[in-house]
């Protein structure tokens, strides 16, 4: 028995019992994160999220995120606080599921490098900076102008896009308060802040502050507040819906970018539409001016063998098809 053992042996037994009791207390008191696996000695987290695969991609994403955060703030496009409010996870899902050519267009648009007249003027000063649709001489046509153009056809296209967005939000069982807020915010074209929208709950007031940090132009480019997803998730839970709030957020970004893309397609149709002679509008104007200039100079400016070109009057030449005009 224990009493008949030597003192040194008794002390050894006492130490074993106390050590086992201490180990049990330690395991009961210690909080072990649920993602820790047995015998996992090292855990790497990026922004508090455990890395499950190769460390390279999440590290590169984080470095890029920090650089972009500083870059957008330095350009005045998005404040540091506004950047932190954006649902970048939804944007990543949207871009990952987007075809390459459309993804290129999105990148060119949000960076301001689409072929607007403002950008074409930088390449060649002979290009006008005026919008080909509204033709307002006081407006420089850049990417931001695409959603603010006052051309009647583009305004009608915008209104139809807003109706399509509302129809989609309804189909996706969007929270009624979010639906009203989003439609009013989009329709306002940046004149009103999101705080001007009805925000009679604590969550909506937080959303309003968050989205106002981001701004309307950024919202239309897909930089939506992460608070939208949180409120929509709670709504889906309340109505016992099987829809995913994360999918809802990425799809909302797609819908907003689609509204811009429709405006861009319409703009390009105006720029590249064909005249009745078959020439593009811009090219036709250049050919017309060249023909008028040559006719004004007269046949004396031509070589004798080319003077027959002046046999046809200007009015007749202007009725020719485009290819014949260019050959002339």
């Amino acid at each position: 028995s224990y009493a008949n053992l030597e003192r040194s042996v008794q002390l050894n037994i006492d130490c074993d019992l106390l050590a086992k009791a201490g180990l049990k207390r330690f395991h009961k008191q210690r909080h072990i994160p649920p993602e820790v696996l047995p015998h996992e000695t090292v855990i790497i987290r990026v922004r508090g999220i455990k890395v499950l695969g190769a460390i390279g991609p999440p590290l590169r994403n984080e470095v890029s995120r920090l650089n972009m955060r500083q870059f957008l703030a330095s350009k005045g496009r998005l404040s540091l606080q506004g950047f932190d409010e954006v649902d970048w996870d939804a944007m990543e899902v949207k871009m990952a599921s987007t075809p390459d050519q459309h993804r290129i267009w999105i990148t060119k648009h949000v960076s301001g490098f689409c072929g607007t007249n403002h950008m074409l003027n930088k390449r060649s000063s002979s290009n006008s900076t005026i919008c080909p649709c509204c033709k307002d001489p006081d407006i420089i046509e850049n990417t931001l102008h695409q959603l603010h153009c006052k051309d009647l056809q583009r305004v009608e296209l915008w209104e139809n896009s807003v109706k399509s967005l509302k129809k989609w939000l309804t189909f996706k069982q969007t929270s009624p308060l979010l639906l009203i807020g989003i439609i009013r915010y989009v329709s306002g074209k940046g004149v009103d802040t999101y705080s001007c929208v009805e925000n009679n709950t604590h969550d909506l007031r937080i959303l309003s502050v968050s989205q106002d940090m981001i701004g309307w132009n950024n919202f239309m480019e897909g930089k939506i507040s992460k608070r939208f997803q949180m409120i929509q998730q709670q709504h889906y839970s309340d109505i016992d819906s099987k829809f995913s709030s994360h999918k809802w957020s990425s799809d909302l970004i797609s819908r907003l970018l689609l509204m811009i893309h429709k405006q861009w397609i319409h703009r390009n149709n105006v720029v590249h539409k064909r005249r009745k002679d078959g020439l593009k509008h811009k090219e036709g104007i250049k050919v017309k001016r060249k023909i008028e200039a040559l006719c004004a100079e007269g046949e004396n400016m031509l070589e004798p063998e080319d003077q027959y070109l002046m046999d046809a009057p200007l009015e007749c030449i202007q009725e020719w098809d485009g290819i014949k005009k260019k050959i002339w």
Side-chain angles (χ1 to χ4, degrees), residues 128-228:
S128 171
T129 59
I130 296 176
C131 174
C133 298
C134 65
K135 297 181 174 62
D136 188 335
D138 298 325
I139 296 293
I140 295 178
E141 194 225 5
N142 53 23
T143 52
L144 292 178
H145 176 69
Q146 304 309 311
L147 293 180
H148 298 276
C149 183
K150 295 183 180 180
D151 174 71
L152 293 180
Q153 288 185 323
R154 299 187 77 173
V155 170
E156 183 181 0
L157 176 62
W158 172 260
E159 292 173 351
N160 290 334
S161 296
V162 173
K163 291 178 182 177
S164 296
L165 176 62
K166 184 177 182 179
K167 185 177 180 180
W168 176 83
L169 289 170
T170 303
F171 171 75
K172 284 294 184 178
Q173 298 177 346
T174 303
S175 165
L177 293 177
L178 286 187
L179 190 152
I180 295 172
I182 291 172
I183 294 302
R184 287 183 180 175
Y185 188 56
V186 170
S187 301
K189 289 195 171 185
V191 175
D192 297 325
T193 63
Y194 203 92
S195 300
C196 295
V197 178
E198 184 178 358
N199 50 4
N200 51 8
T201 69
H202 177 68
D203 289 340
L204 287 177
R205 285 191 288 272
I206 294 177
L207 167 62
S208 299
V209 173
S210 174
Q211 188 56 55
D212 286 344
M213 289 183 186
I214 300 170
W216 187 85
N217 285 318
N218 285 317
F219 177 82
M220 293 306 303
E221 292 178 353
K223 301 182 187 73
I224 65 174
S225 170
K226 54 191 174 186
R227 309 287 175 174
F228 281 105

Side-chain angles (χ1 to χ4, degrees), residues 275-288:
R275 295 150 39 106
K276 66 178 183 179
D277 59 7
L279 296 177
K280 292 180 180 179
H281 183 71
K282 190 173 182 180
E283 182 185 22
I285 292 177
K286 289 183 177 180
V287 171
K288 179 176 181 292

